[in-house]
Structure formats: C-alpha cells, structure tokens
C-alpha cells in the first residue's frame, strides 16, 4: 500500500498531489522553517540556504571552497593590498526589473553596515575582529572600490560567506520609507514568493535572470533555472520525509545518514552522497582540572579508532579524518591526512603516567537527527571505557547544549561545526582566548598568531604552509578530536536531475531539472 503524507499536512502546506507531480513545480522538504527573509540578519543554516536562491553578492564560494566572482565580472587588488576594485557585470537585473549598478552595491553595503540593521557580520568588516573596510565608493556605474585599513586575505572570503548573506546586493525597494525591511528584491535565479510560516516557502523562477557564462561552480558560475516554482515544505520529522519520498509526495530532500538508510534500493528514489564543510568530533575543555593535562587528552586520541568512529556514526558514509580542514576543501592535502594512531596500549600507559584514577568524564551530546552527535558520543564512550576512562554520556536538548558550548561549561562535548570555506575562518572558529570567548576550544597564543598571519597572507603556497603548521600543532595539543567531515545525502525522485550534495551542504535548485 502506498504511504502518503498525512492529509492535514498536505492541506496546511497548500500542497496537492497534482502539484507535487507537476513538471512546473518541485517540492523539497526542509527540516525546519527559516527565520527571516533578510540575508545575514536573524538567520540560521536553513535561512541561508533559501536566501542563496534569491540574492547574490559580488563574490561567492566555488565548489572546493575557493572564492570566485559573481555579480562582479572580475576584481583587481592593488599592490599594497589596501584597495579592491570590482568591475560589475553589465545587464544584470533585480527582480523588480531595474538594472543593477554600482550605486545599488554601495546602498546595500551602507545598509548592512548600519548597526540598526543588526547584520551578523558587521564586526567582521568594521575592525572589531581584525578586518576593517574604511570606504566603499562607486567611481562609475560599473565599478565599486573598497579600501582597507590594513591588508587582509579574508576580505573576499568573508564577503562570500552565506551566513553573511554574501553581502547581498539588494534593491532599495526591499525596505519601506522608514527603512524597515519588507522582502528581498535581489538578482538571484529565483524571486521570493509566498511564505506560510512553519508550513511552506515558495520561490518563483526569475525569467529575466542573467546568468554567468561559466559552468555552475558552487554558489558562482552559471545558473540556469528551469523549475517554475520551488515549493519548500517544512517537515521536521525525518520519517515523514522518507515516507513522502517513497510515495512521490516529496520530490527531493537532504537527509542525515541514518535517515537515508531506509531509502537504499527503494524503486523510484535515488541517493547521492558527498562530504561537506561540517566537522564532527569531540570538544575537550582544556581548562578542566582533569583535562588540562595533555597526557590525558592524548590518551583519549589514542583510545579512539577514528575509522570506526567515522563509519559507525555515519552509516558507513563518512570519510575518516582528524583534520579541521574538510576533505573536500581545496586546502586539504597530505599533511591534513595525517592524524592520530589507534593505540589502546599507549593510551593506558599515558593514563597511568598522568595518574588518572577513574574520575568520571562527562560527554554532552544531543539526539538531533541532522547531526551524528549522539552516535559519536556513544561510540567514543565505549572505546574510552575500554582503556579505563570513566566516560559518561549526558544527552541534552540542543538549545541547552548550545548554551553550555557558548559558556564553555562542559568537560567534553560531541559537536558539529557548521561549514567555513576559508582555512583562516575554519581555524578561527575553534581558536581563541577563552577568557574573552569561552566558546573557543583551542586557547593557544601561537596558534592565534598563526591564524592572524594566515588572515593577512594572500599567496596560496604560503597559506598552505601555515594551514599545515596549524594542523600539526592542533594534533599535538589535542584540544578537540575530529573524526570525519559532514556527510550530505541528497535523496530525490527519479524524475529529478541535478539535486546534488556538495561542500556547501544546502541544495542549489537552479541546477535542478525534471524529466517527463
């Protein structure tokens, strides 16, 4: 018997079976509603994923995490590294039909940099955390210049961040006369349509979209939307998503490894798997009286079989790695492939040397289906107990765990880091002064200095050498244990093409086609 989505859910979301099967509409399930329509403001990962269809910035991330031009045709950097000149593509249109010019780029920048906007990335550009943009101007309608207080290799990488809304270029009609946000009028391949909160989101194809000529590459390159309407259905329950894919009421969805298991071999359903920019592992509170001893932290690393932890936590889909740089990144090389050796006997010897006497060590985890937090914790617990470490798993609601993470109130924690594309941002995410930022895991002044150098260095070979050095130091200090990068599983009906997983995790519906 064919299993259908509950009829009340279909009605609430405005979805009919005829619509789901239509060649003009693709229905995609998303596990939670987005938070707002203002890019980079009151956002989360789902919000970013939706907004990347509606808005674009001067630059964006490629498939491998490097940066490429988007609304800029190209950009130049002055010899002193203080001036960036963006040459804009001509003929690009906003969703209201007006042509995108330099004045709109400057207007958008000024809005994001206004503290009243509450843009999450204000501190990343105003000098608060290092990078300081001192001026943005439009010498002519096709040119924008940005000046910096000091050279930085992170300007483009930060501008390309989805969580910053890619510093979206939007039309002033996105706000009312008082400056209050209405809705995004961007240049993306889809226009924002109807939003039925906690039920569905509708994106409509922008027929006047002007694509780049290159092949699609991450968030940049060519975008040729063909689906007339993308209907995003908010379905928090993974089992309901699986049932909808089986029945055909849902055309596509991103799933966790465990949830995709029941779809293997199901007629009419295809699966595609890729490593993404997340990193899964165990955080260690190095200020804890017990775990401040590096010998105990090292013993933990030796006690856990990285391959077993990775494959066992991901239904066999994860790629084992102890690196903070994901395996799909352009910055992952031979050095990042080196990590901890599994050696239980050496772990026991280190514990004895450190005088460990069976004191309990708590591992905090959560049971959210979208991350492997609980599975990682349970597998690690068993291996730690095998060498005599009294590891205990304590599950919490995600909001509680996140608060504990932000305050640094834990001994150990099974945690998933969200994607960062540039290596300086990857290491900045985990490194810092705990007195100022308790959420930081690796408090090492030499590492902090190296990250600062990495942020200023533009030469790729020199940057790779710094990334390699940071990896070696992290493995030696053992402030945390990474086991594998995130796994993206794209599940889709056989009539859907182009719904592919990638480093950036969120789907890109401008690549999707349907087969009649």
């Amino acid at each position: 018997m064919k299993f259908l989505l509950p009829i009340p859910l279909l009605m609430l979301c405005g979805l009919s079976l005829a619509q789901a099967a239509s060649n003009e509409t693709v229905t995609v399930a998303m596990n939670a509603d987005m938070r707002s329509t203002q890019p980079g403001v009151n956002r989360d990962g789902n919000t970013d994923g939706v907004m990347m269809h509606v808005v674009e910035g001067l630059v964006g991330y490629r498939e491998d995490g490097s940066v490429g031009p988007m609304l800029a045709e190209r950009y130049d950097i002055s010899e002193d590294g203080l001036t960036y000149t963006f040459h804009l593509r001509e003929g690009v249109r906003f969703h209201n039909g007006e042509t995108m010019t330099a004045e709109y780029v400057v207007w958008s920048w000024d809005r994001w940099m206004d503290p009243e906007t509450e843009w999450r990335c204000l501190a990343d550009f105003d000098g608060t955390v290092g990078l300081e943009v001192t001026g943005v101007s439009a010498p002519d309608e096709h040119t924008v210049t940005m000046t910096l207080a000091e050279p930085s290799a992170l300007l483009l990488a930060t501008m390309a961040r989805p969580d910053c809304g890619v510093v979206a270029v939007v039309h002033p009609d996105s706000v009312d006369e008082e400056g209050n946000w209405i809705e995004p009028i961007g240049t993306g391949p889809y226009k924002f349509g109807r939003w039925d909160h906690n039920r569905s989101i509708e994106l409509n194809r922008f027929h006047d979209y002007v694509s780049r000529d290159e092949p699609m590459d991450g968030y940049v390159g060519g975008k040729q939307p063909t689906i007339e309407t993308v209907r995003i259905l908010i379905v928090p329950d993974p089992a309901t998503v699986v049932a909808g894919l089986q029945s055909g009421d849902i055309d596509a969805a991103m799933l966790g490894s465990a949830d995709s298991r029941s779809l293997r071999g199901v007629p009419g359903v295809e699966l595609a798997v890729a490593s993404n920019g997340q990193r899964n592992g165990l955080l260690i509170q190095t200020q804890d009286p017990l775990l401040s001893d590096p010998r105990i932290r090292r013993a933990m690393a030796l006690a856990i079989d990285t391959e077993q932890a990775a494959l066992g936590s991901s239904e066999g889909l994860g790629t084992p790695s102890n690196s903070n740089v994901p395996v799909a990144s352009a910055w992952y090389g031979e050095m990042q492939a080196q990590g901890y050796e599994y050696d239980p006997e050496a772990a026991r010897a280190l514990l004895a040397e450190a005088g460990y006497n069976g004191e309990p060590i708590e591992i905090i985890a959560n049971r959210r289906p979208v991350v492997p937090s609980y599975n990682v914790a349970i597998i690690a617990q068993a291996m730690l107990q095998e060498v005599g470490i009294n590891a205990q798993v304590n599950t919490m609601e995600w909001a509680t765990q996140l608060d504990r993470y932000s305050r640094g109130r834990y001994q150990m924690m099974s945690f998933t880091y969200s994607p960062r594309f540039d290596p300086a941002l990857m290491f900045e995410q985990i490194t810092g002064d705990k007195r100022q930022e308790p959420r930081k895991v690796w408090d090492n002044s030499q590492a902090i200095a190296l990250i600062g150098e990495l942020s200023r260095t533009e030469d790729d070979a020199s940057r790779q050498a710094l990334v390699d050095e940071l990896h070696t130091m992290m493995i030696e200090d053992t402030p945390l244990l990474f086991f594998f990068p995130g796994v993206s599983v794209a599940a889709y009906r056989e009539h859907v093409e182009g719904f592919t997983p990638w480093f950036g995790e969120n789907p890109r519906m401008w690549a999707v086609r349907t087969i009649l």
Side-chain angles (χ1 to χ4, degrees):
M1 180 177 179
K2 201 174 188 183
F3 190 98
L4 298 178
L5 285 171
I7 294 300
L9 178 60
L10 289 169
M11 294 175 65
L12 285 172
C13 296
L15 174 68
S16 71
L17 298 183
Q19 287 174 315
S22 170
N23 189 45
E24 299 300 306
T25 300
V26 169
T27 300
V28 184
M30 192 165 70
N31 60 17
D33 202 359
M34 63 180 190
R35 300 181 65 171
S36 78
T37 65
Q38 190 166 189
V41 180
N42 186 23
R43 42 70 56 197
D44 58 9
N46 284 351
T47 308
D48 299 340
V50 174
M51 286 298 101
M52 289 304 96
H53 293 78
V54 179
V55 301
E56 297 171 321
L58 296 178
V59 296
Y61 279 116
R62 297 189 179 102
E63 203 85 16
D64 64 1
S66 60
V67 177
M70 188 60 228
L71 291 179
E73 182 64 40
R74 68 185 192 281
Y75 46 80
D76 303 317
I77 306 173
S78 63
E79 289 188 9
D80 61 7
L82 296 178
T83 302
Y84 286 66
T85 302
F86 298 90
H87 305 278
L88 305 184
R89 292 164 52 208
E90 298 186 25
V92 174
R93 294 188 178 277
F94 287 108
H95 296 157
N96 62 1
E98 292 199 29
T99 301
M100 187 270 298
T101 61
E103 67 173 305
Y104 294 122
V105 178
V106 175
W107 182 90
S108 299
W109 175 267
D110 290 343
R111 175 172 176 80
W112 302 134
M113 294 300 290
D114 183 345
E116 292 189 4
T117 302
E118 298 184 345
W119 186 41
R120 84 171 251 114
C121 294
L122 174 63
D124 295 288
F125 292 100
D126 70 358
T128 300
V129 295
L131 171 63
E132 183 179 3
V133 177
T134 56
V136 176
S137 61
D140 59 59
E141 66 177 3
H142 300 303
T143 308
V144 173
T145 61
M146 289 188 178
T147 55
L148 308 183
E150 295 179 352
S152 173
L154 290 184
L155 175 65
L156 298 177
T158 307
M159 291 175 64
R161 281 167 50 183
D163 64 309
C164 295
V166 293
V167 194
V169 179
V170 295
H171 192 275
D173 286 353
S174 301
V175 302
D176 63 19
E177 294 181 355
E178 285 74 39
N180 300 309
W181 185 259
I182 303 173
E183 66 178 20
I185 300 176
T187 61
Y190 282 91
K191 298 186 291 185
F192 193 79
R194 185 176 62 185
W195 181 13
D196 193 0
H197 291 256
N198 295 314
R199 296 175 179 176
S200 65
I201 303 163
E202 192 172 278
L203 303 178
N204 300 313
R205 179 186 173 195
F206 180 33
H207 288 266
D208 292 328
Y209 180 73
V210 180
S211 175
R212 295 187 67 93
D213 294 330
E214 308 95 331
M216 187 185 78
D217 191 358
Y219 280 132
V220 299
K223 300 176 183 177
Q224 300 289 349
T226 62
I227 305 300
E228 288 297 324
T229 302
V230 175
R231 181 173 289 107
I232 301 170
L233 202 61
I234 311 304
V235 188
D237 177 32
T240 304
V241 176
V242 169
L245 285 162
Q246 290 174 326
S247 68
D249 293 317
I250 292 174
D251 296 312
M254 301 300 296
L255 293 174
S257 302
D259 300 317
S260 67
R261 176 175 52 189
S262 60
L263 290 172
R264 297 179 187 178
V266 172
V269 178
E270 304 288 342
L271 297 175
V273 180
S275 293
N276 61 40
Q278 295 178 338
R279 290 90 78 211
N280 301 296
L282 296 174
L283 313 186
I284 304 174
Q285 179 50 267
T286 57
Q287 292 186 331
D288 179 82
L290 186 64
L291 300 178
S292 62
D293 190 327
R295 294 170 296 182
I296 294 179
R297 302 198 302 271
R298 182 70 179 176
M300 290 178 172
L302 296 172
I304 299 176
D305 183 338
T306 295
E307 182 174 3
Q308 185 175 340
L311 299 179
S313 302
S314 65
E315 299 292 327
L317 301 177
T319 302
S321 172
N322 296 132
S323 174
N324 183 37
V325 178
V327 297
S329 170
W331 301 98
Y332 187 93
E334 293 182 5
M335 185 64 69
Q336 285 65 43
Q338 300 178 24
Y340 303 110
E341 294 183 5
Y342 176 53
D343 192 339
E345 289 303 317
R348 294 186 183 96
L350 273 176
L351 291 171
E353 180 184 319
Y356 175 74
N357 195 31
E359 294 91 340
I361 297 177
E362 180 188 57
I363 304 175
I364 295 175
N366 68 79
R367 290 180 178 268
R368 290 190 302 158
V370 294
V371 294
S373 174
Y374 183 73
N375 289 343
V376 167
I378 291 299
I379 292 174
Q381 177 191 34
M383 294 181 181
L384 293 173
Q385 289 179 344
E386 184 67 23
V387 300
I389 295 176
N390 184 13
Q392 304 296 325
V393 174
N394 181 11
T395 58
M396 296 180 175
E397 294 293 326
W398 169 236
T400 304
Q401 181 181 352
L402 185 60
D403 179 70
R404 295 280 290 269
Y405 160 76
S406 300
R407 297 172 183 267
R409 294 179 52 229
Y410 59 87
Q411 283 185 295
M412 297 182 70
M413 178 177 289
S414 181
F415 197 80
T416 297
Y417 280 103
S418 58
R420 293 292 184 270
F421 292 77
D422 187 90
L425 299 177
M426 296 173 192
F427 280 99
E428 184 277 333
Q429 199 175 21
I430 68 171
T431 311
D433 187 339
K434 287 179 180 285
R435 293 170 300 181
Q436 299 178 12
E437 298 180 278
R439 66 184 175 87
K440 300 295 186 179
V441 181
W442 191 18
D443 190 342
N444 181 305
S445 58
Q446 184 181 355
I448 293 171
L450 285 175
I451 294 169
E453 185 177 351
L454 180 61
S455 300
R456 295 186 295 271
T457 302
E458 296 182 2
D459 176 69
D460 285 350
S462 299
R463 298 196 89 209
Q464 187 66 63
L466 290 167
V467 173
D468 293 350
E469 187 174 356
L470 281 164
H471 172 79
T472 301
M473 288 178 58
M474 187 192 76
I475 294 296
E476 180 64 29
D477 278 7
T478 324
L480 73 176
L481 301 171
F482 285 121
F483 301 129
F484 62 106
V487 177
S488 289
V489 181
Y492 51 94
R493 298 292 300 179
E494 60 186 355
H495 70 279
V496 174
E497 283 189 342
F499 190 79
T500 56
W502 70 296
F503 185 91
E505 187 182 7
N506 285 313
R508 298 157 294 175
M509 298 305 296
W510 56 83
V512 173
R513 311 285 187 273
T514 58
I515 307 169
L516 291 178

